[in-house]
């Protein structure tokens, strides 16, 4: 119920926070401005941000329809012919019908290292399984024809389940075998091929929307060609950081953010990004017609009229486009259990994926604009409060800005666990393309701020020791500023997460990041008088299974240490620490 003031150095985090705490209260209780189609929209009680959510859905649908008009030819449907039914009797119920493609499944290719097949692009496939659902099993079967090969789709269980599940992969990492000769392909050969621009892609299978589930078909020349004719007129040229710990694609020649998308995806994402701006202009006109003052006062200046409202709707639509980018890139896995595309952030890193799913943005399944708009609009009606006023802005935590005493709660960076700014550039490049005119201050730079970011990133600071010193000094300064601005009647709560273990020391398992952070807390003038562990991490998430991952969060309750605070002996300190 208190007025919340939130800040972050990262503009992506600022926009997300604006969408959560600042925009819904500003436009609470208003009916939507979309055309009424003869209905009295004011008759319905639009509680909270329900009217705003309705407009996000409406103009999101407008974007989808307009995109289909412009680029629908890149997403053809499949007609089930009698010839297909003769080969696949299970397709009989669909004979003569046109079915929507949910996803195209591709495999990256490199030239075989075997001299006899040196000119053949062989596939890098982590699994040939398409569906592992009981009773609905399906898989890709490679058919070798001399020096060439093709893919076909089989229903049911494979004759050799282990081999089919393994694809052409030999072991962990980039180690595969040549499909034609069986010759092992080492990671260095694949990396060299990628850096030389000789890594391609070949269509393995097509996934269609059936009446009661997925339908899997063998690839066709027409389907492969529909993807290859796409010619993007813009691509994000921002370079990926040379951080092999979190950005694995760089070693394989995918060195820019634009390299992470297929040509068709780039065309579609650029189209949708441009449509965000067009939608905002349409919202502004409709809002003015519905009586909102057309004062041209933007959201960033505290506006509540037609222009500000249009920018608010545009922010949620831009978030939907960002979600499209997350589920529509060449690092998206096909989930054979759930029969759906799995977005690329299974861990807080950008991995390398060999066989990937390309979702149909114009369909209705996971990875579509329909799904993305739903994810942007639904929280406005079920998960976000529109009552207390909130303000979110961009700021450096080490610089004090609010002189008045505050009740402070903060969630600082976790040492070197997550490369926040580097990873958020994946989203920033598309948000900037859509919202630069609406939020010029947040998108003034080509990438998110890196220099001031308080993380102990070795590659950025020239080694572990300088990175740790940077983190300790900066965090101490930031926390000291908090201790000076906090209300004396309330504790400061600090959330911190740590890994299960980081290194083995002489006294057992210790955590470098945790120790360094506690050091900064004490140096800043705080005393810790209470801690609570909170389980915030799912054990079943990809990075949580059998890995040294974030285990839980710790909430520290801190107060400013009095000037006359007594000292303690080492024995007294250890006794208190154990307690």
């Amino acid at each position: 119920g208190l007025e919340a003031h939130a800040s972050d150095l990262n503009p992506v985090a600022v926009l997300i926070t604006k969408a959560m705490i600042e925009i819904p209260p500003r436009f609470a209780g208003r009916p939507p401005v979309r055309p009424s189609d003869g209905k009295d929209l004011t008759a319905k009680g639009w509680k909270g941000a329900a009217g705003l959510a309705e407009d996000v859905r409406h103009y999101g649908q407008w974007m989808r329809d307009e995109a289909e008009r412009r680029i629908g030819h890149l997403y053809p449907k499949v007609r089930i012919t009698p010839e297909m039914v003769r080969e696949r009797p299970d397709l009989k119920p669909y004979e003569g019908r046109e079915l929507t493609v949910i996803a195209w499944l591709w495999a990256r290719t490199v030239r075989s290292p075997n001299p006899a097949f040196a000119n053949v692009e062989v596939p890098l496939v982590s699994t040939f399984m398409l569906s592992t659902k009981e009773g609905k099993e399906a898989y890709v079967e490679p058919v070798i024809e001399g020096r060439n090969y093709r893919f076909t789709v089989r229903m049911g269980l494979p004759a050799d389940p282990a081999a089919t599940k393994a694809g052409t992969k030999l072991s962990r990492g980039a180690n595969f075998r040549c499909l034609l000769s069986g010759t092992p392909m080492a990671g260095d050969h694949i990396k060299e091929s990628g850096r030389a621009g000789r890594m391609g892609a070949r269509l393995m299978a097509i996934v269609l929307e059936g009446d009661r589930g997925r339908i899997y078909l063998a690839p066709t020349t027409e389907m492969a060609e529909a993807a290859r004719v796409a010619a993007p007129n813009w691509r994000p040229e921002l370079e990926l950081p040379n951080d092999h710990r979190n950005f694995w694609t760089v070693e394989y020649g995918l060195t820019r953010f634009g390299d992470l998308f297929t040509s068709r995806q780039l065309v579609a994402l650029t189209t949708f990004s441009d449509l965000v701006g067009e939608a905002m202009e349409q919202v502004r006109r409709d809002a003015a017609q519905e009586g909102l003052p057309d004062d041209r006062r933007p959201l960033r200046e505290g506006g509540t009229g037609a222009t500000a409202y249009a920018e608010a709707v545009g922010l949620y639509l831009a978030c939907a486009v960002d979600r499209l980018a997350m589920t529509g890139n060449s690092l998206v896995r096909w989930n054979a259990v759930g029969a759906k595309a799995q977005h690329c952030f299974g861990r807080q890193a950008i991995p390398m994926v060999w066989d990937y799913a390309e979702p149909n943005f114009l369909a209705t399944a996971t990875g579509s604009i329909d799904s993305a708009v739903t994810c942007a609009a639904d929280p406005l009606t079920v998960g976000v409060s529109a009552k207390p006023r909130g303000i979110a802005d961009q700021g450096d935590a080490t610089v004090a800005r609010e002189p008045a005493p505050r009740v402070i709660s903060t969630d600082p960076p976790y040492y070197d666990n997550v490369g926040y700014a580097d990873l958020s550039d994946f989203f920033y490049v598309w948000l900037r393309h859509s919202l630069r005119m609406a939020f010029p201050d947040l998108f003034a730079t080509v990438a998110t701020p890196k220099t001031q970011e308080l993380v102990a990133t070795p590659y950025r600071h020239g080694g572990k020791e300088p990175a740790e010193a940077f983190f300790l000094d900066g965090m101490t300064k930031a926390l000291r500023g908090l201790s000076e601005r906090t209300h004396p009647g309330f504790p400061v709560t600090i959330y911190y997460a740590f890994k299960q273990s980081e290194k083995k020391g002489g006294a057992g398992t210790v955590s470098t990041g945790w120790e360094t952070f506690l050091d900064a807390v004490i140096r800043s003038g705080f005393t810790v008088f209470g801690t609570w562990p909170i389980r915030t991490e799912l054990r079943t998430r990809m990075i949580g299974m059998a890995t040294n991952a974030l285990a839980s969060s710790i909430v520290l309750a801190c107060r400013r240490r009095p000037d006359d605070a007594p000292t303690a002996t080492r024995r007294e300190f250890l006794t208190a620490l154990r307690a």
Side-chain angles (χ1 to χ4, degrees):
L2 300 178
E3 181 177 289
H5 291 251
S7 70
D8 200 289
L9 183 67
N10 192 315
V12 177
V14 173
L15 275 175
I16 293 172
T17 311
K18 281 182 178 292
M20 291 171 62
I21 72 167
E22 183 176 309
I23 293 174
R26 191 178 300 189
F27 301 104
R30 293 186 180 183
V33 303
R34 68 169 178 82
S36 61
D37 299 326
K39 300 176 183 177
D40 183 8
L41 295 178
T42 60
K44 179 181 177 180
W46 297 95
K47 294 183 178 180
L52 176 61
E54 176 68 16
D55 278 331
V56 173
R57 294 188 189 96
H58 173 81
Y59 294 99
Q61 180 64 41
W62 175 85
M63 284 173 52
R64 186 239 175 263
D65 294 342
E66 188 63 22
E68 184 168 32
R69 188 181 68 80
R70 299 181 188 185
I71 60 172
H73 62 282
L74 297 177
Y75 296 91
K77 295 186 176 182
V78 174
R79 179 175 291 277
I80 305 301
T81 64
E83 292 77 18
M84 296 165 69
V85 173
R86 280 196 292 271
E87 189 174 330
R88 287 268 305 274
D90 60 297
L91 298 177
K92 181 64 178 176
Y94 304 101
E95 186 174 350
R97 291 171 55 182
E98 275 195 336
L99 301 181
T100 300
V101 178
I102 291 175
W104 294 266
L105 308 186
W106 300 83
R108 299 190 198 276
T109 60
V110 296
R111 293 176 187 172
S112 172
N114 188 314
F117 302 97
N119 293 323
V120 181
E121 299 280 338
V122 293
L124 308 173
V125 184
S126 60
T127 181
F128 283 122
M129 291 302 302
L130 298 173
S131 173
T132 57
K133 283 187 176 181
E134 188 175 355
K136 295 184 179 181
E137 293 88 355
Y139 61 96
V140 171
E141 181 179 76
V143 180
I144 299 173
E145 299 171 333
R147 292 174 53 82
N148 296 311
Y149 63 93
R150 61 184 173 87
F151 294 118
T152 189
V153 169
R154 304 293 185 196
M155 306 305 295
L157 291 168
D160 189 345
T164 302
K165 185 178 180 180
T168 63
K169 207 163 185 8
L170 292 178
S171 61
R172 291 189 64 184
N175 297 287
F176 292 81
R177 60 177 175 83
C178 169
L179 180 66
L180 300 179
S181 65
T183 304
M185 294 190 292
D188 289 342
H189 171 74
I190 297 171
K191 290 175 184 177
E192 182 184 350
S193 299
R195 288 194 291 261
R198 295 194 301 268
M199 186 177 287
R202 183 155 173 172
L203 189 59
M204 277 201 311
I206 306 166
V207 188
L208 308 179
E209 181 70 83
D211 294 335
R212 273 175 268 178
R214 309 297 191 231
I215 298 172
Y216 302 94
L217 293 182
T220 65
T221 303
E222 293 76 18
M223 280 290 160
E225 189 59 25
R228 300 193 195 284
V229 297
N233 55 23
W234 183 83
R235 60 189 292 122
E237 294 295 345
L238 182 66
E239 289 193 5
L240 293 161
N242 192 26
D243 174 13
H244 295 171
R245 188 179 69 163
N246 295 313
F247 292 82
W248 306 353
T249 66
V250 176
E251 293 184 282
Y252 300 96
L254 307 179
T255 60
R256 299 176 184 271
F257 280 96
D259 297 337
L260 307 181
F261 303 88
T262 69
S263 293
R264 177 162 52 187
Q265 288 168 340
L266 288 170
V267 169
L269 288 169
T270 303
T271 300
F272 279 111
S273 295
D274 292 340
L275 284 169
V276 170
E278 296 180 34
M280 282 195 286
E281 182 57 29
Q282 189 161 322
V283 174
R284 188 192 65 77
R285 290 195 300 266
D286 291 342
Q289 193 168 342
E290 289 299 313
L292 268 69
D294 194 7
D295 54 9
R296 299 285 178 170
R297 189 181 176 195
L299 201 62
R300 65 183 181 277
E301 294 179 7
T304 57
T307 295
Y309 187 74
E311 292 175 347
V313 174
L315 192 157
Y316 295 101
L317 294 177
C319 287
V321 175
D322 250 6
R323 191 171 184 87
L324 275 188
M326 185 175 74
T327 53
N329 57 76
S330 66
L331 306 175
V332 169
R333 297 182 302 111
W334 178 253
N335 183 336
V337 178
K340 63 179 181 178
Q342 203 77 35
H343 69 73
C344 63
F345 287 101
R347 52 172 62 86
Q348 286 147 329
I350 291 184
M352 186 64 185
V353 173
W354 307 107
D355 42 305
Y356 58 90
E358 182 189 3
N360 183 348
F361 288 159
L362 302 180
T364 57
T366 301
S368 67
I369 184 64
D370 283 7
S371 175
V373 169
T374 296
C375 289
D378 280 4
L380 289 170
T381 55
V382 297
V384 171
S385 173
K387 289 183 179 179
R389 180 172 176 261
I391 298 171
D393 58 17
Q394 188 178 23
D396 184 338
T398 64
V399 179
R401 290 169 298 155
E402 314 97 359
R406 301 296 173 104
V407 178
I408 295 175
S409 183
T410 187
D411 186 11
Y414 303 148
Y415 192 64
D416 66 341
N417 289 351
V418 182
Y420 302 97
D422 287 335
L423 289 168
S424 64
D425 279 338
F426 178 95
F427 301 99
Y428 181 85
V429 293
W430 296 108
L431 288 170
R432 188 171 189 263
H433 192 77
S434 302
L435 299 175
R436 182 169 40 179
M437 301 302 292
F439 300 95
D441 294 341
L442 287 179
F443 295 108
T445 55
V446 175
T448 57
K450 308 290 191 307
T451 305
Q452 303 148 280
E453 186 187 29
L454 277 180
V455 289
T457 308
Y459 91 88
R460 197 180 291 164
H461 297 283
K464 287 188 176 182
E465 290 186 5
E468 182 173 332
F470 169 81
F471 178 84
L472 178 59
D473 293 344
M475 191 60 68
T476 302
K477 184 177 180 182
L479 294 176
R480 182 177 294 122
L482 294 184
S483 72
E484 293 169 353
R485 304 200 304 274
T486 185
H487 193 292
F490 298 90
V492 171
T493 50
I494 304 174
Y495 289 72
Y496 196 80
F498 62 96
K499 294 182 180 180
Q500 292 154 0
S501 64
E502 290 194 24
K503 68 179 183 180
K504 296 288 183 179
T509 302
V510 298
S511 172
T512 304
W514 181 232
E515 290 182 346
T516 306
F517 177 74
L518 286 177
D519 193 0
V521 171
I522 301 305
R523 288 190 186 196
S524 68
F526 275 125
T527 179
V528 181
F529 68 89
T531 60
W532 291 271
I534 297 181
R535 183 167 299 171
T536 56
E537 311 302 319
L538 291 174
R539 292 171 183 260
T540 54
R541 74 202 189 285
M542 182 187 296
I543 197 171
M545 295 185 285
T547 61
N548 175 24
L550 296 182
S552 65
S553 293
I554 301 295
V555 181
L556 304 178
C558 305
R559 292 187 186 276
R560 184 168 175 77
R561 189 165 56 251
D563 294 334
D564 59 350
T567 57
T569 65
R570 175 177 172 80
R571 181 182 294 277
E572 291 170 335
F573 171 74
L574 291 176
T575 301
L577 186 62
R578 289 192 188 97

